[in-house]
Amino acid sequence: MTDPSAASRPVQAVVLAGGQGSRLRPYTDDRPKPMVEIPGTGTPIIGHQLSWLAEEGVTDVVVSCGHLAEVLQEWLETADLPVSVTTAVETEPLGRGGGLKHAAAHLPYPDRPWYATNGDIWTRFSLRDMADFHTERDAVATLALARPRIPWGAVRTDGFGHITDFIEAPPSTFEINAGVYVFSPGFADLLPERGDHERTTFPHLARERRLAGFPIPQGSYWRAIDTAKDLTEAAKELAAQRR
């Protein structure tokens, strides 16, 4: 039986892979951040992303490149990829919004919705469910929302100021932008030519109630690979999953 929702789900995506990744040095001295390998996997971050996108029904991906683009392009040309990949190279820094707009112009189906993900996100959850959520709310853009773990221990106190419990690395009470998106076909027209869409386009859509937030399901894996410590933690978590 055919799923009627399938027709409205994206089959194309943009991966934003142009950042310098200065906080991940020295790993990023000779490669862009998405080319940093998750220890123990033999695969760079972007390789994990492309596999996930393919599992979720994506057939075509545009990779937005900037810093050390040639390193990323060489890997994409030689790797055995599960999707069709093209690159969109910024000849000058356009900012996150400008880079997204530039890459979106290379998508094969301009009249269809699309996914996007930041190049340093390693996650697994149902993009199909997120796309259905986006459609049900008639949104122009939908952000995945995560509750990252606070990197410090926390304490719980009673009304008298006595400490009653210690909580190691508790989840944040706030949801954050998880760096994964669903966009309707006309979204690219709302992006700036250069600059940050999170300070322009997103607030504008939020005021008009056309921006939706999809909570990543509890128990799903999500991590932003921003520092060397994140790489170490990701490797530990992967090892724990394999036991």
Side-chain angles (χ1 to χ4, degrees), residues 74-86:
E74 182 179 347
W75 182 83
L76 291 169
E77 288 169 4
T78 57
D80 183 15
L81 303 176
V83 292
S84 174
V85 176
T86 57

Side-chain angles (χ1 to χ4, degrees), residues 7 20 63 77 91 93 100 104 117 122 135 190 211 225:
Q20 294 193 13
V63 178
E77 288 169 4
T91 55
L100 194 58
T117 181
W122 190 26
T135 300
L190 305 176
L211 185 67
I225 308 296

Side-chain angles (χ1 to χ4, degrees), residues 30 32 65-77 89:
D30 60 355
C65 305
H67 175 65
L68 296 174
E70 65 281 359
V71 177
L72 181 50
Q73 288 176 314
E74 182 179 347
W75 182 83
L76 291 169
E77 288 169 4
V89 181

Side-chain angles (χ1 to χ4, degrees), residues 116-145:
T117 181
N118 295 344
D120 58 355
I121 300 299
W122 190 26
T123 186
R124 284 291 188 279
F125 65 89
S126 174
L127 282 175
R128 292 179 174 91
D129 287 350
M130 184 176 172
D132 293 346
F133 180 96
H134 172 83
T135 300
E136 288 162 4
R137 280 146 188 83
D138 196 26
V140 173
T142 297
L143 286 59
L145 304 177

Side-chain angles (χ1 to χ4, degrees), residues 9 11 19 43 58 62 71 79 84 87 99 111 131 136 165 185 196 203 207 212 217 220 230:
R9 293 174 187 153
V11 296
T43 303
V58 172
V62 177
V71 177
S84 174
T87 56
D111 59 341
E136 288 162 4
D165 198 8
D196 190 348
R207 287 191 295 270
S220 297
D230 291 322

Side-chain angles (χ1 to χ4, degrees), residues 13-181:
V14 167
V15 176
L16 291 170
Q20 294 193 13
S22 56
R23 295 179 67 192
L24 258 177
R25 286 177 178 156
Y27 297 100
T28 50
D29 284 344
D30 60 355
R31 69 197 65 192
K33 190 194 253 188
M35 280 301 300
V36 174
E37 181 184 319
I38 302 292
T41 70
T43 303
I45 299 167
I46 195 168
H48 295 281
Q49 291 182 320
L50 295 176
S51 295
W52 174 51
L53 290 169
E55 291 166 8
E56 293 297 322
V58 172
T59 58
D60 294 85
V61 175
V62 177
V63 178
S64 174
C65 305
H67 175 65
L68 296 174
E70 65 281 359
V71 177
L72 181 50
Q73 288 176 314
E74 182 179 347
W75 182 83
L76 291 169
E77 288 169 4
T78 57
D80 183 15
L81 303 176
V83 292
S84 174
V85 176
T86 57
T87 56
V89 181
E90 295 179 32
T91 55
E92 58 180 332
L94 299 175
R96 290 189 296 177
L100 194 58
K101 189 182 187 80
H102 177 64
H106 293 75
L107 288 168
Y109 311 109
D111 59 341
R112 299 191 62 176
W114 44 294
Y115 297 117
T117 181
N118 295 344
D120 58 355
I121 300 299
W122 190 26
T123 186
R124 284 291 188 279
F125 65 89
S126 174
L127 282 175
R128 292 179 174 91
D129 287 350
M130 184 176 172
D132 293 346
F133 180 96
H134 172 83
T135 300
E136 288 162 4
R137 280 146 188 83
D138 196 26
V140 173
T142 297
L143 286 59
L145 304 177
R147 289 186 185 272
R149 291 200 166 272
I150 298 171
W152 309 284
V155 295
R156 183 173 286 131
T157 59
D158 62 19
F160 293 98
H162 296 123
I163 292 176
T164 60
D165 198 8
F166 290 89
I167 308 164
E168 189 62 34
S172 169
T173 55
F174 293 99
E175 293 175 311
I176 67 163
N177 178 354
V180 180
Y181 314 90

